[in-house]
Amino acid sequence: MNQSLSPNFSHKALTISSSDKDSEHKIGLVLAGGGAKGAYEAGALRYLAEINFAPHMIAGTSIGALNGAVIASYPDFSVAVEQLNILWDKLGSEKVLHLNSGEIGLDRDKASLFNPNTVEKLLKEAVKPSAIRSGKELWVAVFPALKIPGIDYDHLLGMLHVLAGSSAKWLRVQDCEDDELLYNLLLASAAIPLAFPPREIKGKYFVDGALGDNVPLGALSKEGCTHAIVIHLGNAVTWNRHDFPEQAIIEIRPTQSLNKNQALIAGDITSMLDFSSERISQLKQLGYQDAKYCLEPILRSFTSLSELRSDDDLLKNKTEELQGDDPVW
């Protein structure tokens, strides 16, 4: 596990309330993408809720964007995490993925392997636009899909953007003027190429933000984020915390692979699409355990430091009291 902690990331930073608008600290939560492996984030967040962590702002990519939307919708972080875990239990009990009938073609109705209706329905049940607009600041990463006149099939064309060196876009969910645009933005971030259709945002088409930025701390960095907890869904070296020297960062990484098998590509793809109840339960438990494993030693260190300071203050006060006493003859 990569357990990164800046010495400036204090226990106060972990427990600071999002109501501290005037605080010098701006605490961020960053949620990586990974399809069904996002259940791991729900488990990790459950531990964060237990230690009274509360972010000021959130950034997410793909499933991290959808998880982040639920978290951002509630003023109370513990309530938000509880609702997120309920949603994941629901995902495990319902058939989330429905294959589109026929073959994928240029017709937009058949531009993806899976029909997105179930995902849309569950998202709209879990995330209310009015709540998210008044909730915590939420940024999501999306990736531009090329648009060629007369051709509606954007996924492979989007891949050309990757080869051409295009980058992901960071968009703030609260800037969406209408409800449909808000949902489309969240669904665009999670539109895994080939699996789900691209989404239109103000005349432009976007797909899964993981193609360009799977760990969008940069979105929060430019907004003045000073401290952040980043929850990863893999251990591949695709992100470097040293690119953010101004932020104090704690990374929570899986202690074991979240892929069901270790086949280079197939293992990752099958794991991203496995929404079975058993698998979700396993991932949630692992996420909780890894977050605890990562953060418990840090919390113990700060508790010990606090106790030492308290003892030092007590000794200092007693010494001053003795110095002020009259001498005994």
Side-chain angles (χ1 to χ4, degrees):
M1 168 179 289
N2 183 344
Q3 185 173 306
S4 303
L5 173 67
S6 163
N8 295 322
F9 203 118
S10 66
H11 182 254
K12 178 183 177 182
L14 283 172
T15 58
I16 192 167
S17 168
S18 58
S19 63
D20 291 333
K21 299 298 183 183
D22 299 326
S23 170
E24 61 179 314
H25 299 298
K26 282 192 175 182
I27 315 303
L29 173 65
V30 182
L31 303 172
K37 291 185 285 186
Y40 176 93
E41 293 174 341
L45 290 169
R46 187 161 62 86
Y47 180 75
L48 289 177
E50 288 182 4
I51 62 172
N52 298 319
F53 170 79
H56 294 93
M57 53 182 66
I58 303 167
T61 296
S62 195
I63 195 65
L66 302 187
N67 282 343
V70 177
I71 297 299
S73 298
Y74 295 87
D76 187 299
F77 186 74
S78 294
V79 172
V81 171
E82 180 182 0
Q83 291 302 311
L84 180 62
N85 275 270
I86 290 173
L87 173 61
W88 274 99
D89 290 340
K90 195 170 185 179
L91 289 171
S93 63
E94 296 193 14
K95 184 174 175 57
V96 178
L97 302 179
H98 298 270
L99 284 171
N100 268 325
S101 59
E103 296 181 359
I104 295 177
L106 299 182
D107 183 349
R108 176 164 299 282
D109 292 336
K110 296 182 180 179
S112 63
L113 285 171
F114 300 105
N115 188 311
N117 290 344
T118 301
V119 175
E120 291 181 25
K121 173 179 171 289
L122 291 172
L123 176 64
K124 290 179 179 180
E125 289 176 356
V127 175
K128 303 304 179 187
S130 59
I132 204 168
R133 288 193 184 100
S134 60
K136 294 180 176 64
E137 185 174 359
L138 174 64
W139 290 80
V140 301
V142 293
F143 196 82
L146 282 172
K147 189 71 176 157
I148 296 179
I151 296 180
D152 278 338
Y153 188 37
D154 299 289
H155 291 299
L156 295 180
L157 299 176
M159 293 297 188
L160 296 179
H161 259 305
V162 179
L163 298 175
S166 296
S167 58
K169 306 292 183 184
W170 299 322
L171 299 177
R172 195 171 78 124
V173 176
Q174 282 81 8
D175 291 334
C176 294
E177 298 89 357
D178 62 75
D179 295 356
E180 199 61 31
L181 181 64
L182 186 150
Y183 286 129
N184 265 350
L185 175 55
L186 294 173
L187 291 165
S189 184
I192 301 171
L194 295 179
F196 294 106
R199 297 284 170 164
E200 183 179 357
I201 308 293
K202 296 185 177 180
K204 297 181 180 180
Y205 285 88
F206 295 93
V207 291
D208 197 331
L211 291 175
D213 188 359
N214 201 37
V215 187
L217 176 56
L220 302 187
S221 175
K222 70 181 183 63
E223 296 299 309
C225 173
T226 57
H227 301 68
I229 287 183
V230 177
I231 304 179
H232 296 276
L233 296 179
N235 277 310
V237 184
T238 57
W239 184 80
N240 188 348
R241 69 177 303 277
H242 298 294
D243 290 338
F244 301 93
E246 302 302 318
Q247 282 72 43
I249 303 167
I250 292 177
E251 296 180 71
I252 298 173
R253 289 183 179 269
T255 53
Q256 57 185 269
S257 174
L258 301 187
N259 292 342
K260 296 173 65 177
N261 63 68
Q262 301 311 307
L264 185 59
I265 296 177
D268 191 41
I269 292 176
T270 56
S271 299
M272 290 174 67
L273 300 177
D274 184 357
F275 287 89
S276 66
S277 179
E278 181 181 2
R279 182 66 176 153
I280 285 174
S281 178
Q282 291 172 346
L283 290 171
K284 286 170 61 175
Q285 183 176 5
L286 182 60
Y288 179 90
Q289 292 171 347
D290 285 350
K292 184 176 182 179
Y293 176 79
C294 176
L295 293 171
E296 223 175 31
I298 297 170
L299 295 174
R300 280 200 301 267
S301 296
F302 285 121
T303 299
S304 298
L305 181 60
S306 177
E307 290 173 350
L308 285 173
R309 286 176 175 170
S310 178
D311 290 342
D312 183 64
D313 289 342
L314 180 61
L315 180 60
K316 181 179 178 181
N317 291 335
K318 290 298 183 182
T319 301
E320 290 175 351
E321 289 176 8
L322 289 173
Q323 289 176 339
D325 288 345
D326 293 329
V328 179
W329 300 99

